[in-house]
Amino acid sequence: MVRKKEIPIRNLRNNTLEILTAGIESLEREERERIRATEGNRQRQNNSNNNNITINNNINNNNINNNGKRVRPKRHVCHVCDKGFDSPSHLDTHMRVHNGLKPYKCHVCEYACTTFGNLTAHLRVHSGKKPFKCHICDEEFAQSNNLTRHLRVHSGEKPYKCHVCEKAFSDSSALTSHLRVHSGEKPFKCHVCEKAFTTSSHLTSHLRVHSGEKPYKCHVCEKAFTRSSNFKTHIQTRHK
């Protein structure tokens, strides 16, 4: 019986990194070409369109932000939600939120996303690379925005403030979720029982009621829980 030659783990890891690097470089070229094509097409469209958006150079309330600073009007506006952007490529990227298009696909797994930056960050899940390091506690992150969010733990900064109750948050997504407390909006609906929630994490936790999944398992007594909060309470009260 001929014994297969085993490939060292280090070689497999190096090969994976080489594949990921080549994939990223290829995607970068495609993204640059796409942006150039988009900018060119949009410019030609604007030149031939008699109904171009005109910018009023007079200073008015629409040109002043909450800090009293003058801001430049956005020329490229989403026809669905009226959000404005400085360039057509940014508008095209935003439109994927509405049309569900995810052109960037991982060649290792089936993950797909709307932007090249998100794909680049995802590929670090496979490579294990964490290039963003906290200069205070040396904790490392795969994404720069996670490092930015983490640094606020040290600084205590909470730049996102609710305009209704003035409660402040260190993360913009936390503020978005909080605002639904005031608006009553619950955009995340269970497909089984149609119960609605203010955050996707609450919906994910709720779905485990239907699936029976209990991913949080105690390493002492092996009791399992559907929610991390219940698991933490168990550890603190039973095994402290």
Side-chain angles (χ1 to χ4, degrees), residues 137-153:
C137 67
D138 291 336
E139 187 170 354
E140 297 176 337
F141 301 89
Q143 300 182 45
S144 61
N145 61 327
N146 288 341
L147 172 58
T148 301
R149 189 182 302 114
H150 165 79
L151 287 172
R152 295 184 187 127
V153 174

Side-chain angles (χ1 to χ4, degrees), residues 99-117:
N99 61 32
L101 183 65
K102 295 182 178 181
Y104 298 97
K105 294 179 173 58
C106 176
H107 59 282
V108 179
C109 68
E110 296 183 358
Y111 175 83
C113 55
T114 58
T115 67
F116 172 75

Side-chain angles (χ1 to χ4, degrees), residues 9 16 34 44 53 66 122 167 185 222 233:
I9 296 298
T16 300
R34 187 194 68 79
R44 286 191 292 272
I53 299 173
N66 294 332
H122 165 78
K167 186 174 182 179
E185 180 189 10
E222 296 190 353
T233 300

Side-chain angles (χ1 to χ4, degrees), residues 11 13 24 31 35 54 86 103 114 138 145 153 160 162 204:
N11 290 349
R13 187 175 299 164
I24 290 174
E31 178 69 355
I35 290 176
T54 58
D86 290 324
T114 58
D138 291 336
N145 61 327
V153 174
Y160 304 99
C162 175
T204 299

Side-chain angles (χ1 to χ4, degrees), residues 2-240:
V2 179
R3 188 175 183 180
K4 291 183 179 179
K5 185 178 179 180
E6 294 184 356
I7 301 175
I9 296 298
R10 181 178 298 177
N11 290 349
L12 287 173
R13 187 175 299 164
N14 290 338
N15 290 339
T16 300
L17 289 174
E18 289 175 2
I19 293 172
L20 291 174
T21 301
I24 290 174
E25 290 175 351
S26 175
L27 287 169
E28 285 177 339
R29 287 194 297 272
E30 292 177 5
E31 178 69 355
R32 286 194 295 269
E33 292 172 0
R34 187 194 68 79
I35 290 176
R36 280 197 296 268
T38 299
E39 294 282 358
N41 291 337
R42 191 62 62 88
Q43 187 62 45
R44 286 191 292 272
Q45 180 182 351
N46 287 341
N47 291 338
S48 62
N49 189 351
N50 293 327
N51 295 321
N52 283 342
I53 299 173
T54 58
I55 299 178
N56 185 356
N57 291 322
N58 296 325
I59 299 175
N60 53 49
N61 292 334
N62 292 330
N63 299 108
I64 306 298
N65 64 13
N66 294 332
N67 296 322
K69 294 182 179 180
R70 189 188 307 175
V71 294
R72 185 176 63 181
K74 306 290 187 179
R75 289 181 58 88
H76 308 279
V77 180
C78 173
H79 68 276
V80 179
C81 66
D82 292 332
K83 189 172 183 179
F85 300 88
D86 290 324
S87 71
S89 61
H90 290 163
L91 174 58
D92 286 345
T93 299
H94 165 78
M95 289 306 300
R96 294 172 191 150
V97 174
H98 301 297
N99 61 32
L101 183 65
K102 295 182 178 181
Y104 298 97
K105 294 179 173 58
C106 176
H107 59 282
V108 179
C109 68
E110 296 183 358
Y111 175 83
C113 55
T114 58
T115 67
F116 172 75
N118 287 344
L119 177 59
T120 301
H122 165 78
L123 288 173
R124 297 186 188 120
V125 173
H126 300 296
S127 67
K129 186 178 180 183
K130 294 183 178 181
F132 304 101
K133 189 174 184 177
C134 175
H135 66 282
I136 299 174
C137 67
D138 291 336
E139 187 170 354
E140 297 176 337
F141 301 89
Q143 300 182 45
S144 61
N145 61 327
N146 288 341
L147 172 58
T148 301
R149 189 182 302 114
H150 165 79
L151 287 172
R152 295 184 187 127
V153 174
H154 299 296
S155 68
E157 180 189 11
K158 294 183 178 181
Y160 304 99
K161 184 177 286 188
C162 175
H163 65 279
V164 179
C165 66
E166 295 191 355
K167 186 174 182 179
F169 302 87
S170 59
D171 184 75
S172 60
S173 60
L175 172 59
T176 301
S177 298
H178 166 78
L179 287 172
R180 296 183 185 126
V181 173
H182 300 297
S183 67
E185 180 189 10
K186 294 183 178 181
F188 304 97
K189 183 177 287 188
C190 174
H191 66 280
V192 180
C193 67
E194 295 190 355
K195 187 174 182 178
F197 302 87
T198 57
T199 67
S200 60
S201 59
H202 288 165
L203 172 59
T204 299
S205 178
H206 165 79
L207 287 171
R208 296 184 187 126
V209 174
H210 300 297
S211 67
E213 181 189 10
K214 295 183 178 182
Y216 304 100
K217 192 172 185 179
C218 177
H219 64 282
V220 179
C221 65
E222 296 190 353
K223 187 174 182 179
F225 303 86
T226 58
R227 297 182 179 181
S228 60
S229 58
N230 292 341
F231 168 65
K232 291 176 182 177
T233 300
H234 168 80
I235 293 295
Q236 292 170 355
T237 58
R238 301 293 183 182
H239 304 297
K240 190 174 180 180

